[in-house]
Amino acid sequence: MAKQAFKAESKRLLDMMINSIYSNREIFLRELISNASDAIDKMYYKALTDESLTFNREDYYIKIDVDKESRTLKIMDTGIGMTEEELGNNLGVIAKSGSLAFKNENELKDGHDIIGQFGVGFYSAFMVADKVTVLTKAFGSGQAYKWESTGAEGYSIEPCEKENVGTEIILTIKENTDDESYDDYLEEYRLRSIIKKYSDFIRYPIKMEVTESRLKEGSENEFEEYKEEQTINSMVPIWRKNKSELTDEDYVNFYQEKHYGFDKPLKHIHIKVDGTVRYNAILFIPENIPFDYYSKEFEKGLELYSSGVLIMEKCADLLPDYFSFVKGMVDSEDLSLNISREILQQDRQLKFIAKNIQNKIKRELESFLKNDREKYELFYHSFGRQLKFGVYNNFGQDKDVLKDLLLFYSSKEEKLVTLDEYVSRMPEDQKYIYYATGETNERIARMPQTELVADKGYEILYFTEDVDEFAIKMLMSYKEKEFKSVASGDLGIDEESQEKKEAEEKENKDLLDYMKETLSGKVKDVKISTRLKNHPVCLTADGEVSIEMEKILRAMPNNQEVKAEKILEVNADHDVFRSLKAAFEQDKEKAALYTNLLYNQALLIEGLQIEDPIEFTNNICKVMV
């Protein structure tokens, strides 16, 4: 038969599809295997609807054959085959899907679905082949046909000899170029890896001759290679099995087989949904943090399958950023796929699945926290930072999802506690949830600013990570209790002390004004402290930016010149204050010396850099002589 032109779109469309739509050439094999699986599915459907037919699963398979000398790769199936008309309709029209039409025309039974969209998926073969030949014989037909094409110029269809029903696709693989090694698609190991990667869970056997090694007969140490036909795919995905059939070991093995991590997962989540949108999922919470987790190289996402065929290795849309540590896969029969299967449309079904997965992960983490605290704390050690970032990110839109999953070290319990645990044991007279920030728990425990709160017997949450205070500022309150830094201006404690402070500030107004003038440009104000008990001095902040925030923001790469409005607080009951007061009355120069020393002392306590270390050491020497 003479060559025919393609009926739809032309060379430009085929060239665009080959060179642009598919960015990963290896998926051509996934497409052709999926189509072969569809063809067998159609035979299965015929057997369901025609009582005269028997579907014997052993007779149905897909076979891969390689011939390096002729540079041909064959994909054969024992499926339903195609008539001459179907060849012209399905392979003569780019983007026409024979499987899709079959699906629309027939009501599928017994949970089987047609996964292929035969039209454009088939044409992915031209990404690796100069010539594509299709030999096919349709079920119930006595005549076989050959379809052949070398690309967008057109195709030919003619009768041929073929003994058995089914389809055989023969790819003449391209020669290597400077940019691409097409020889890879003639290598056994490469084909096996592609099949395992994308088509491992196709429900029919994918057979291929595999090279094995054995001891030569009569030899003790000489080996020989031989060929053996093997089934490459596992066929039955773990997620389609009943949970009752599976053990923890099965899930761990799956985690490691899929290379989700080198550790063992702390927890697995097996989801089966048969509602409006049907899907299965197996999710894992890792024990250890990936080495690149907090780097720009890390890619979040779940593997996404459509009826057992891998569509996307990292579907980021299935996970919110704050749950990006979750590994695993989702398989659905209801997702709308576009022409290439490689790019998933942002459709309603996907968003529905993503929302369900988010809720399921949250519930499982809450259960984990409640029922296995030790393991949850192990998880939190690795990924708690991400949860806190989730509270802060996007202007706090997800804070209500995450607030009950947060843990902070407690001054009273001396271990990690939830916000609910903190609030549940607050005394009646305690107005706020108090927190303190610092580099380590040990340093925070010694901070002068904690003295009054600790003396009142109130619990303090210790914030040691840079994201902690930002997250809490976004959260604002928990169960109607506001968060309050121990370094904030008004601690809401002890009105009597406040009255005493006001009286002392009035009495020492001239001294405080002198100190403020001496430290002009360094502090916003100098005040008598109500929070200090044993220490002579400390720094606090006035406004939204705390001293800890200043340190974090100024350490960022963009060098943000952000400053907290610092207040120097002095302890009027301390011997140092009495010495300062005496110096002010007798020797203003010495009072200025003491003021600078106290300010630098407060900077050191906060972990801030002293502006002039040499001046500081000289001032200490002056005091000593």
Side-chain angles (χ1 to χ4, degrees), residues 7 13 76 177 225 273 292 297 378 420 488 509 606:
K7 297 176 186 176
L13 176 58
M76 297 172 279
T177 66
E225 291 186 343
V273 175
D292 62 345
E297 284 76 27
L378 194 60
D420 184 63
S488 63
K509 184 179 183 305
E606 285 297 326

Side-chain angles (χ1 to χ4, degrees), residues 355-369:
K355 185 65 177 176
N356 278 10
I357 284 174
Q358 173 191 312
N359 293 337
K360 184 67 174 176
I361 294 170
K362 182 196 173 183
R363 288 195 300 269
E364 289 294 327
L365 286 174
E366 287 174 337
S367 173
F368 201 18
L369 173 59

Side-chain angles (χ1 to χ4, degrees), residues 483-524:
F483 292 94
K484 178 75 73 172
S485 170
V486 296
S488 63
D490 178 17
L491 291 174
I493 297 175
D494 205 341
E495 292 182 6
E496 188 177 319
S497 295
Q498 189 66 28
E499 291 174 4
K500 180 184 175 186
K501 170 194 170 183
E502 290 173 1
E504 287 175 336
E505 284 186 340
K506 186 175 181 180
E507 179 185 339
N508 296 286
K509 184 179 183 305
D510 292 343
L511 171 59
L512 297 176
D513 288 344
Y514 178 79
M515 295 177 71
K516 180 180 177 180
E517 185 181 342
T518 302
L519 299 174
S520 177
K522 299 177 180 178
V523 299
K524 180 182 178 182

